[in-house]
Amino acid sequence: MKQRLIVTPDLCTGCRTCELACAFAHPIKGKPGRSRIYPLPTGKSEMWTPVVCLQCDDPACAKSCLVDAITRNEETGAMELDNDKCVKCMACVAACPFGCSLHDTLHDLVVKCDLCGGDPVCAHFCPTKALTCRPVTPTRRKAVV
Amino acid sequence: MVSLTINGRVVQANKGEMLLTVTRREGIDIPALCHHDAVEPFGACRLCMVEITKKEWDGWTNYVAACLYPVEDGLIVQTHSSKVNELRRTVLDLLLARCPNSPEIRQLAAEYGVTQTAYEEIPDADNCILCGLCTRVCERLGFKAISTVGRGHDKVVAPPLKEAPPDCVGCLSCAQVCPTNVIQYKDEGNKRTIWNKSFELIACKQCGKQIITRDFAEALSSQRNIPADYFELCDECHRKELSVKMGSIVSWSREAAS
Ligand code: SF4
Ligand code: SF4
Ligand code: SF4
Ligand code: FES
């Protein structure tokens, strides 16, 4: 069953386990890739929140990609980036209003959350359940924070 | 689906796929300098040549460019037979005569055992192999700022009239895809220079980080309907902004609930 990612901001403690999980779930040439998720302080008392791609209905990343390297995976709802097609123009990195298309400078690749193909690894590792999964159902395929 | 044999192994592929797509997916390393998935196959460098045959061909073989050859049922492919490697050596020998100073070409040639070209080196050679990937990608992006000009020995990649190209937006895609890293550019202060044209890099209004040029952002806003203010913050400051917004929403809903 394909799953999508649900974020519950106020449960996040900023432990950064998701960051580690994501990096290890996306290795490039045997080395961990750049994490696609970032726990950040919200500025409200001790509250943190994971910041990750919202898989928008009207995605600025895909709209800005003039070579169509970013497309929707209809099964999972994720906007997926094809690194073989990407010409590294950085348009999507500049255009995403949530900063969730990223330049992995170590490997010189542009990356974003792909929902791990329908099994979000970060959610399995989040100790406080700020990140959880929910099965993709036809009525629930749209992006939710 | 079609079924073919590559280096003795049976492989499934989708109808209409090019051989190179399949060998890449199978992790077989075939040199392919003029190919990029962003553009249509072109067949300029001839390095991706492979040997093909079929049972019913009675021992006849053919040599084709993998990037341009659609898969067929029952195809038997050799990607590194001695004849194929010999062909690649010849191509590399010629490339080495054209670009004797290119580290990328030298390394690839050395992998195939060619360290010195048998042909006459071109005087004042630059490292351009004239694969046209830069111009094809620029065209695919819709800018069409550069093209190959001249013929034969005088052929070069250049902006029209060899002056600063009016349609270039400074996105660097040409430099990114060039297999021999010929295309020079410089980012300095808030300026980017490429093809003798100078561009303003947009600085994040919070932290100053630069990602793309103002010309590129304006082209994206007008052609793709992306609000211009999306380009005012860098990715990192956008993430911070989102976390703060989420904090406000959560505390607001908490208050509303209490
Ligand atoms: S960086 Fe790659 S994925 Fe992003 S817009 Fe440019 S070509 Fe498309
Ligand atoms: S779902 Fe996968 S790709 Fe997306 S943030 Fe979590 S671990 Fe990373
Ligand atoms: S400059 Fe680079 S990409 Fe353009 S034709 Fe020459 S080798 Fe190919
Ligand atoms: S990659 Fe096939 S001819 Fe260049």
Side-chain angles (χ1 to χ4, degrees):
Chain A
M1 172 74 85
K2 300 284 181 197
Q3 313 245 53
R4 62 172 310 119
L5 188 60
I6 307 296
V7 180
T8 314
D10 43 344
L11 295 180
C12 174
T13 57
C15 71
R16 302 180 68 184
T17 308
C18 55
E19 221 179 290
L20 213 61
C22 184
F24 277 91
H26 297 84
I28 295 156
K29 296 201 180 111
K31 290 205 187 95
R34 179 168 179 184
S35 172
R36 286 89 158 131
I37 187 164
Y38 290 89
L40 292 171
T42 64
K44 296 270 181 238
S45 54
E46 294 294 283
M47 199 203 303
W48 287 66
T49 180
V51 169
V52 62
C53 171
L54 309 182
Q55 320 294 354
C56 308
D57 279 352
D58 183 23
C61 60
K63 270 174 36 183
S64 70
C65 182
L66 300 175
V67 298
D68 298 323
I70 305 178
T71 49
R72 174 105 46 205
N73 177 326
E74 291 299 338
E75 221 185 330
T76 62
M79 297 307 300
E80 293 180 350
L81 191 157
D82 179 349
N83 282 117
D84 292 329
K85 253 193 181 177
C86 172
V87 296
K88 295 188 256 186
C89 69
M90 303 297 149
C92 56
V93 179
C96 171
F98 309 116
C100 288
S101 197
L102 310 148
H103 185 205
D104 178 341
T105 46
L106 183 64
H107 303 100
D108 192 21
L109 287 175
V110 180
V111 298
K112 69 173 295 302
C113 169
D114 57 0
L115 293 175
C116 298
D119 186 21
V121 171
C122 52
H124 295 303
F125 285 87
C126 177
T128 61
K129 297 209 162 19
L131 297 166
T132 49
C133 300
R134 185 184 286 161
V136 181
T137 59
T139 49
R140 278 212 177 271
R141 209 191 55 76
K142 292 280 158 70
V144 241
V145 177
Chain B
M1 284 300 251
V2 299
S3 174
L4 62 161
T5 311
I6 305 177
N7 299 344
R9 220 158 42 107
V10 179
V11 168
Q12 309 294 323
N14 301 312
K15 228 182 141 86
E17 267 184 327
M18 297 299 160
L19 251 178
L20 185 66
T21 312
V22 181
T23 53
R24 280 191 173 173
R25 190 165 57 230
E26 295 298 317
I28 301 166
D29 186 23
I30 298 179
L33 291 184
C34 73
H35 183 76
H36 194 286
D37 280 354
V39 288
E40 294 295 318
F42 197 57
C45 76
R46 296 283 136 185
L47 276 170
C48 68
M49 299 296 278
V50 294
E51 184 180 314
I52 58 166
T53 186
K54 280 187 168 184
K55 270 217 180 74
E56 59 271 27
W57 287 7
D58 290 332
W60 281 93
T61 53
N62 199 359
Y63 298 89
V64 296
C67 66
L68 274 174
Y69 200 85
V71 291
E72 286 167 29
D73 223 15
L75 207 61
I76 302 164
V77 185
Q78 288 293 337
T79 64
H80 289 80
S81 66
S82 51
K83 191 75 205 291
V84 168
N85 287 344
E86 193 49 49
L87 271 172
R88 270 185 215 141
R89 266 195 287 279
T90 308
V91 174
L92 285 163
D93 206 352
L94 287 162
L95 280 177
L96 209 50
R98 171 174 278 287
C99 305
N101 306 315
S102 157
E104 291 81 6
I105 298 298
R106 294 198 76 87
Q107 196 198 322
L108 191 56
E111 281 170 29
Y112 279 82
V114 185
T115 48
Q116 178 62 48
T117 179
Y119 300 89
E120 201 178 326
E121 287 183 7
I122 288 182
D124 323 311
D126 68 9
N127 292 343
C128 173
I129 62 167
L130 291 173
C131 66
L133 198 49
C134 51
T135 61
R136 286 181 285 138
V137 163
C138 187
E139 186 176 353
R140 173 76 173 85
L141 293 163
F143 300 119
K144 300 188 187 140
I146 48 173
S147 52
T148 43
V149 295
R151 282 158 186 265
H153 271 313
D154 301 323
K155 190 165 160 185
V156 285
V157 171
L161 304 170
K162 304 198 182 178
E163 282 162 13
D167 297 324
C168 177
V169 295
C171 73
L172 298 193
S173 302
C174 55
Q176 295 283 6
V177 298
C178 173
T180 49
N181 292 307
V182 183
I183 302 171
Q184 300 295 310
Y185 67 91
K186 197 153 84 190
D187 284 357
E188 217 171 41
N190 68 339
K191 284 258 169 306
R192 165 173 296 167
T193 316
I194 186 167
W195 297 114
N196 286 322
K197 190 172 174 184
S198 169
F199 298 90
E200 182 207 344
L201 286 159
I202 298 178
C204 169
K205 72 175 185 205
Q206 297 279 344
C207 74
K209 180 175 155 185
Q210 302 160 342
I211 304 176
I212 61 171
T213 65
R214 181 151 324 270
D215 290 48
F216 192 22
E218 279 169 3
L220 294 167
S221 293
S222 65
Q223 290 172 25
R224 294 288 176 123
N225 232 334
I226 295 167
D229 60 350
Y230 283 15
F231 298 107
E232 284 175 6
L233 289 184
C234 72
D235 58 322
E236 193 177 341
C237 292
H238 268 139
R239 291 195 292 279
K240 286 186 184 154
E241 188 189 58
L242 179 59
S243 70
V244 170
K245 270 187 195 155
M246 282 165 79
S248 307
I249 294 170
V250 172
S251 28
W252 172 82
S253 64
R254 265 190 203 153
E255 276 161 30
S258 65

